[in-house]
């Protein structure tokens, strides 16, 4: 039986172009050689990668925010998240920054909750979702929100309530869904949350400097 583990593999590309270049992402078109020898064109979004934070407080509430997402024409409940804007940036540093900027919160305990590819059929975005515990408010001025974030709502919601809402089809944000269900799965596994990977665990999808 094949091991149940994702493995790196790269099929041969005979031609490539970038028909669109945006501020943060681009679109790549590549002609890929299939196993039968045929060549087919594949378009995908090139993405710098992201981090997200499932911030869990002492009352078992999760820090969530509600933000407008224009492509899907919805206001979605989400967990704090952001782009890896700097190539090679340590994802933990980025996660600490996003938790501060979006929720004005800091954490004493950080673990890697899970790593995912959001839409591997059409985008190379990789996301590392952290679990943050030991929460406390950050002193000083709050980060100045702009654009979609200027309309953002902030709340703390019981973890079990979020799980019920996910399974009821009321919540759809990828990182929130994966994060909430991963925390519940980790709790049920041997060692519980303390058995999660350390915050500086290697991330082959987006290698970083220690």
């Amino acid at each position: 039986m094949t091991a149940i583990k994702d493995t790196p593999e790269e099929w041969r590309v005979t031609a490539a172009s970038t028909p669109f270049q945006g501020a943060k992402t681009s679109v790549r078109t590549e002609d890929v050689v299939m196993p039968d020898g045929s060549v087919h064109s594949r378009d995908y979004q090139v993405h710098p990668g992201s981090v997200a934070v499932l911030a869990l407080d002492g009352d078992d509430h999760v820090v969530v925010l509600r933000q407008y997402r224009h492509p899907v024409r919805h206001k979605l409940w989400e967990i704090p998240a952001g782009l890896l804007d700097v190539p090679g940036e340590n994802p933990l540093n980025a996660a600490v920054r996003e938790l501060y900027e979006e929720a004005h919160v800091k954490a004493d305990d950080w673990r890697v909750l899970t790593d995912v590819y959001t839409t591997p059929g059409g985008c190379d975005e990789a996301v590392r979702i952290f679990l943050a515990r030991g929460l406390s408010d950050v002193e000083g001025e709050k980060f100045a929100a702009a654009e979609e974030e200027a309309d953002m709502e902030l709340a703390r919601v019981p973890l079990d309530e979020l799980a019920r809402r996910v399974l009821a089809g009321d919540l759809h944000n990828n990182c929130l869904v994966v994060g909430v269900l991963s925390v519940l799965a980790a709790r049920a596994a041997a060692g519980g949350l303390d058995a999660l990977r350390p915050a500086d665990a290697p991330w082959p999808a987006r290698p970083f400097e220690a």
Side-chain angles (χ1 to χ4, degrees):
M1 179 179 176
T2 302
I4 306 301
K5 181 178 180 179
D6 296 337
T7 55
E9 183 168 336
E10 188 169 354
W11 293 357
R12 186 163 66 92
V13 173
T14 60
S17 62
T18 303
F20 171 78
Q21 179 68 58
K24 299 292 185 181
T25 67
S26 61
V27 173
R28 185 84 169 162
T29 298
E30 295 181 340
D31 294 339
V32 185
V33 181
M34 301 292 148
D36 63 0
S38 62
V39 179
H40 294 272
S41 179
R42 294 291 180 262
D43 302 321
Y44 64 95
Q45 182 185 20
V46 179
H47 193 285
S50 306
V51 292
V53 185
L54 194 295
L56 188 65
D57 68 18
D59 295 323
D60 220 33
H61 286 58
V62 178
V63 176
V64 292
L65 51 93
R66 188 169 181 246
Q67 185 172 344
Y68 176 65
R69 295 301 188 182
H70 187 71
V72 295
R73 271 62 170 184
H74 270 71
K75 271 193 171 182
L76 300 179
W77 284 103
E78 307 179 352
I79 56 177
L83 296 176
L84 290 168
D85 294 315
V86 181
E89 181 179 17
N90 188 308
L92 176 59
N93 294 343
V96 170
R97 180 185 68 239
E98 293 300 331
L99 186 60
Y100 158 67
E101 291 183 355
E102 295 192 344
H104 207 59
V105 167
K106 61 183 178 180
D108 293 332
D109 186 285
W110 290 84
R111 310 285 175 122
V112 174
L113 185 54
T114 190
D115 299 323
V116 296
Y117 290 115
T118 55
T119 47
C123 179
D124 71 352
E125 181 184 14
V127 180
R128 168 156 282 188
I129 304 176
F130 289 90
L131 172 66
R133 294 179 293 173
L135 306 185
S136 60
D137 292 335
V138 178
E139 296 179 0
E141 294 294 324
K142 291 187 176 181
F143 182 78
E147 300 176 4
E148 289 90 346
E149 293 181 353
D151 188 45
M152 198 163 60
E153 302 173 46
L154 195 63
R156 295 197 184 194
V157 179
L159 176 65
D160 288 345
E161 173 67 12
L162 291 175
R164 286 193 293 271
R165 295 290 184 179
V166 165
L167 298 177
D170 295 331
L171 301 174
H172 307 87
N173 175 264
N174 180 290
C175 291
L176 183 147
V177 170
V178 172
V180 166
L181 299 184
S182 293
V183 165
L184 294 177
R187 279 184 169 173
L193 299 181
D194 290 334
L196 290 168
R197 287 173 291 162
D200 60 353
W203 189 18
R206 291 294 185 274
F208 60 90
E209 300 175 3

